[in-house]
Amino acid sequence: PWRFLNVYFNFRTSWMTREAAVAVILFALALAGVGWRQPVLIGLAGLAGLAFLYCQAMMLRSSKGIPAWCLPAISPLVLSTGLSEGAGLLLLIFSLTAAAPDWLSFLLLALIVLRAWVWWNYKAKLAGANAAKATLDVLAGIHMNMLIFGGALPVILMLSALGLPAAALLLNSIAAALVLLSGWTMKFAIVTRAAHVQGYTLGQPRRLAAG
């Protein structure tokens, strides 16, 4: 069981090793920042979180042979959905403890729009990369859910909250939850269901001359 420690021994070549190392730094900074109530440490934990997210994106990007992962467009997709989910989770936490700052709602709105555009671009790029039909079918199956429940509906709810202050907390919380759930669903589908390997072709064999 202790062989899991080997994940820390390939920092020069492995994005998984880099992710694991950054995770240790991230949790240490976050726990210290919250425990000691140090905004500087919490800010550094946020930077470590960005580095962790980047490592996750590059792990998929480096997986050769799986078109749904190694496509360059996967990196902005993972980054944009990670930031969207982070903003959504932060908005939900604020809804339980204190009033959310106005800038957080506008930030989440911008990230929702950005993620929708990046998702559309990723799907189009993958369709042009000769990916397996099974991969394209998986993405087609979640496409409308991503656009409706991960994009349009959260935007409508958050814009409605601007004109309905009394219901703003409820509307923003529902929107944030939809952003989280749609992001998790999308990543689960890409990692587990759309991870078909790239096909290959064989040349036509030569006919043997009659002896």
Side-chain angles (χ1 to χ4, degrees):
W2 291 103
R3 290 182 63 188
F4 79 92
L5 292 173
N6 291 334
V7 75
Y8 291 101
F9 300 149
N10 297 287
F11 192 84
R12 188 176 63 85
T13 59
S14 172
W15 280 105
M16 183 176 291
T17 297
R18 295 162 191 164
E19 179 198 41
V22 171
V24 174
I25 298 172
L26 168 60
F27 282 106
L29 288 171
L31 290 174
V34 172
W36 296 336
R37 297 184 179 181
Q38 293 293 324
V40 173
L41 294 179
I42 295 175
L44 291 175
L47 293 177
L50 287 174
F52 182 85
L53 183 60
Y54 181 76
C55 289
Q56 286 192 323
M58 292 307 298
M59 280 174 57
L60 293 175
R61 177 73 180 86
S62 302
S63 300
K64 306 299 183 184
I66 302 180
W69 296 1
C70 68
L71 195 72
I74 192 68
S75 296
L77 180 63
V78 172
L79 292 173
S80 63
T81 193
L83 293 173
S84 300
E85 293 162 27
L89 182 58
L90 186 59
L91 187 59
L92 284 175
I93 293 174
F94 268 116
S95 70
L96 298 174
T97 58
D102 292 337
W103 62 263
L104 183 56
S105 297
F106 291 111
L107 175 62
L108 182 55
L109 270 173
L111 289 172
I112 292 171
V113 174
L114 175 63
R115 186 179 71 168
W117 179 82
V118 172
W119 162 256
W120 197 290
N121 180 68
Y122 166 78
K123 188 172 177 294
K125 294 289 186 183
L126 191 61
N130 295 323
K133 182 180 182 298
T135 295
L136 299 179
D137 289 343
V138 169
L139 298 184
I142 64 172
H143 181 60
M144 292 307 298
N145 286 338
M146 278 298 299
L147 294 182
I148 296 174
F149 298 105
L153 187 54
V155 167
I156 292 173
L157 289 171
M158 296 189 73
L159 291 178
S160 299
L162 296 177
L164 299 169
L169 179 61
L170 176 61
L171 295 175
N172 285 331
S173 297
I174 295 174
L178 288 174
V179 171
L180 281 169
L181 292 175
S182 60
W184 294 342
T185 300
M186 179 262 290
K187 288 184 291 187
F188 180 82
I190 291 176
V191 172
T192 63
R193 297 172 51 213
H196 300 281
V197 297
Q198 188 171 3
Y200 59 89
T201 58
L202 297 175
Q204 185 176 3
R206 296 179 179 178
R207 293 184 178 181
L208 297 177

Coordinates of all heavy atoms in Angstrom, one line a residue, residues 81 85 115 119 138-139 141-143 145-146 149 177-193:
T81 N -14.3 25.6 -16.1 CA -15.3 24.9 -15.2 C -14.8 24.9 -13.8 O -15.6 25.0 -12.9 CB -15.6 23.5 -15.8 OG1 -16.8 23.1 -15.1 CG2 -14.5 22.5 -15.5
E85 N -17.0 26.5 -10.9 CA -17.4 25.7 -9.7 C -16.9 26.4 -8.4 O -17.6 26.4 -7.4 CB -17.0 24.3 -9.9 CG -17.6 23.6 -11.0 CD -16.8 22.3 -11.4 OE1 -16.1 21.8 -10.5 OE2 -16.9 21.9 -12.6
R115 N -17.5 29.7 -19.7 CA -17.5 28.2 -19.7 C -18.4 27.7 -20.8 O -18.0 26.7 -21.5 CB -18.0 27.6 -18.4 CG -17.9 26.1 -18.3 CD -18.3 25.6 -17.0 NE -19.7 25.7 -16.8 CZ -20.4 25.0 -15.8 NH1 -19.7 24.3 -14.9 NH2 -21.7 25.1 -15.6
W119 N -17.0 25.4 -23.7 CA -17.6 24.0 -23.9 C -17.9 23.9 -25.4 O -17.7 22.8 -26.0 CB -18.8 23.9 -23.0 CG -19.7 22.8 -23.4 CD1 -20.9 22.9 -24.1 CD2 -19.5 21.3 -23.3 NE1 -21.4 21.6 -24.3 CE2 -20.6 20.7 -23.9 CE3 -18.4 20.6 -22.8 CZ2 -20.7 19.3 -23.9 CZ3 -18.5 19.2 -22.8 CH2 -19.7 18.6 -23.4
V138 N -21.3 10.6 -26.4 CA -21.4 10.9 -25.0 C -21.5 12.4 -24.8 O -22.3 12.9 -24.1 CB -20.1 10.4 -24.3 CG1 -20.0 11.0 -22.9 CG2 -20.1 8.9 -24.2
L139 N -20.7 13.2 -25.6 CA -20.8 14.6 -25.5 C -22.1 15.2 -26.0 O -22.6 16.1 -25.4 CB -19.6 15.3 -26.3 CG -18.2 14.9 -25.8 CD1 -17.2 15.7 -26.5 CD2 -18.1 15.2 -24.3
G141 N -24.8 13.7 -25.8 CA -25.9 13.4 -24.8 C -25.9 14.4 -23.6 O -27.0 14.5 -23.0
I142 N -24.8 15.1 -23.3 CA -24.8 16.1 -22.2 C -24.8 17.5 -22.7 O -24.8 18.5 -21.9 CB -23.6 15.9 -21.3 CG1 -22.3 16.1 -22.0 CG2 -23.7 14.5 -20.7 CD1 -21.1 16.1 -21.1
H143 N -24.8 17.7 -24.1 CA -24.6 19.0 -24.6 C -25.8 20.0 -24.2 O -25.5 21.1 -23.7 CB -24.5 19.0 -26.2 CG -24.4 20.3 -26.8 ND1 -23.3 21.1 -26.6 CD2 -25.1 21.0 -27.7 CE1 -23.3 22.2 -27.3 NE2 -24.5 22.1 -28.0
N145 N -27.9 19.7 -21.8 CA -27.9 19.9 -20.3 C -26.8 21.0 -19.9 O -27.1 21.8 -19.0 CB -27.6 18.6 -19.6 CG -28.8 17.7 -19.6 OD1 -29.9 18.1 -19.8 ND2 -28.5 16.4 -19.4
M146 N -25.7 20.9 -20.6 CA -24.6 21.9 -20.3 C -25.1 23.3 -20.6 O -24.9 24.3 -19.9 CB -23.3 21.6 -21.0 CG -22.5 20.5 -20.3 SD -21.9 21.1 -18.7 CE -20.9 22.5 -19.2
F149 N -28.8 23.8 -18.2 CA -28.7 23.8 -16.8 C -27.3 24.3 -16.3 O -27.2 24.7 -15.1 CB -28.9 22.4 -16.2 CG -30.3 21.9 -16.5 CD1 -30.5 20.9 -17.5 CD2 -31.4 22.3 -15.8 CE1 -31.7 20.4 -17.8 CE2 -32.6 21.8 -16.1 CZ -32.8 20.9 -17.0
A177 N -25.7 26.2 -7.4 CA -25.8 24.7 -7.3 C -25.9 24.1 -8.7 O -25.2 23.1 -9.0 CB -27.0 24.3 -6.5
L178 N -26.6 24.7 -9.6 CA -26.6 24.2 -11.0 C -25.3 24.3 -11.7 O -24.9 23.4 -12.4 CB -27.7 25.0 -11.8 CG -29.1 24.8 -11.5 CD1 -30.0 25.8 -12.2 CD2 -29.5 23.4 -11.8
V179 N -24.5 25.3 -11.4 CA -23.2 25.4 -12.0 C -22.3 24.3 -11.5 O -21.5 23.7 -12.3 CB -22.6 26.8 -11.7 CG1 -21.1 26.9 -12.1 CG2 -23.3 27.9 -12.4
L180 N -22.4 24.1 -10.2 CA -21.6 23.0 -9.6 C -22.0 21.6 -10.2 O -21.1 20.9 -10.7 CB -21.8 23.0 -8.1 CG -21.0 24.0 -7.3 CD1 -21.5 24.0 -5.8 CD2 -19.5 23.7 -7.3
L181 N -23.2 21.3 -10.2 CA -23.7 20.0 -10.6 C -23.4 19.8 -12.1 O -23.0 18.7 -12.5 CB -25.2 19.8 -10.3 CG -25.6 19.8 -8.9 CD1 -27.1 19.7 -8.7 CD2 -25.0 18.5 -8.2
S182 N -23.6 20.8 -12.9 CA -23.4 20.6 -14.4 C -21.9 20.4 -14.6 O -21.5 19.6 -15.5 CB -23.9 21.8 -15.1 OG -23.3 23.0 -14.7
G183 N -21.0 21.1 -13.9 CA -19.6 21.0 -14.1 C -19.1 19.6 -13.7 O -18.4 19.0 -14.4
W184 N -19.6 19.1 -12.6 CA -19.2 17.7 -12.1 C -19.8 16.7 -13.1 O -19.0 15.7 -13.4 CB -19.8 17.5 -10.7 CG -19.2 18.3 -9.7 CD1 -18.0 19.0 -9.7 CD2 -19.8 18.6 -8.4 NE1 -17.8 19.7 -8.6 CE2 -18.9 19.5 -7.7 CE3 -20.9 18.2 -7.7 CZ2 -19.1 19.9 -6.4 CZ3 -21.1 18.6 -6.4 CH2 -20.2 19.5 -5.8
T185 N -21.0 16.9 -13.6 CA -21.5 15.9 -14.6 C -20.7 15.9 -15.8 O -20.4 14.8 -16.4 CB -23.0 16.3 -14.9 OG1 -23.8 16.2 -13.7 CG2 -23.6 15.3 -15.9
M186 N -20.3 17.1 -16.3 CA -19.6 17.2 -17.5 C -18.2 16.5 -17.4 O -17.8 15.7 -18.2 CB -19.4 18.6 -18.0 CG -18.6 18.9 -19.2 SD -16.9 19.3 -18.8 CE -17.1 20.9 -18.2
K187 N -17.5 16.8 -16.3 CA -16.2 16.2 -16.1 C -16.2 14.7 -15.9 O -15.4 13.9 -16.4 CB -15.5 16.9 -14.9 CG -15.0 18.3 -15.2 CD -14.2 18.9 -14.1 CE -15.1 19.2 -12.9 NZ -14.4 20.0 -11.9
F188 N -17.3 14.2 -15.2 CA -17.5 12.8 -15.0 C -17.7 12.1 -16.3 O -17.1 11.0 -16.6 CB -18.7 12.5 -14.1 CG -18.9 11.1 -13.8 CD1 -18.2 10.4 -12.9 CD2 -19.9 10.4 -14.6 CE1 -18.5 9.0 -12.6 CE2 -20.1 9.0 -14.3 CZ -19.4 8.4 -13.4
A189 N -18.4 12.7 -17.2 CA -18.7 12.1 -18.5 C -17.4 12.1 -19.4 O -17.1 11.1 -20.0 CB -19.8 12.9 -19.3
I190 N -16.6 13.1 -19.3 CA -15.4 13.2 -20.2 C -14.4 12.2 -19.7 O -13.7 11.5 -20.4 CB -14.8 14.6 -20.2 CG1 -15.7 15.5 -21.0 CG2 -13.4 14.6 -20.8 CD1 -15.3 17.0 -21.0
V191 N -14.2 12.1 -18.3 CA -13.2 11.2 -17.8 C -13.6 9.8 -17.8 O -12.7 8.9 -18.1 CB -12.9 11.7 -16.3 CG1 -11.9 10.7 -15.7 CG2 -12.3 13.1 -16.3
T192 N -14.8 9.4 -17.6 CA -15.2 8.0 -17.4 C -15.9 7.4 -18.7 O -15.8 6.3 -18.9 CB -16.1 7.8 -16.2 OG1 -17.3 8.5 -16.4 CG2 -15.4 8.3 -15.0
R193 N -16.7 8.2 -19.3 CA -17.5 7.7 -20.4 C -17.0 8.1 -21.8 O -17.3 7.4 -22.8 CB -19.0 8.2 -20.2 CG -19.6 7.7 -19.0 CD -21.0 8.3 -18.8 NE -21.8 8.2 -20.0 CZ -22.7 9.1 -20.4 NH1 -22.9 10.2 -19.7 NH2 -23.4 8.9 -21.5

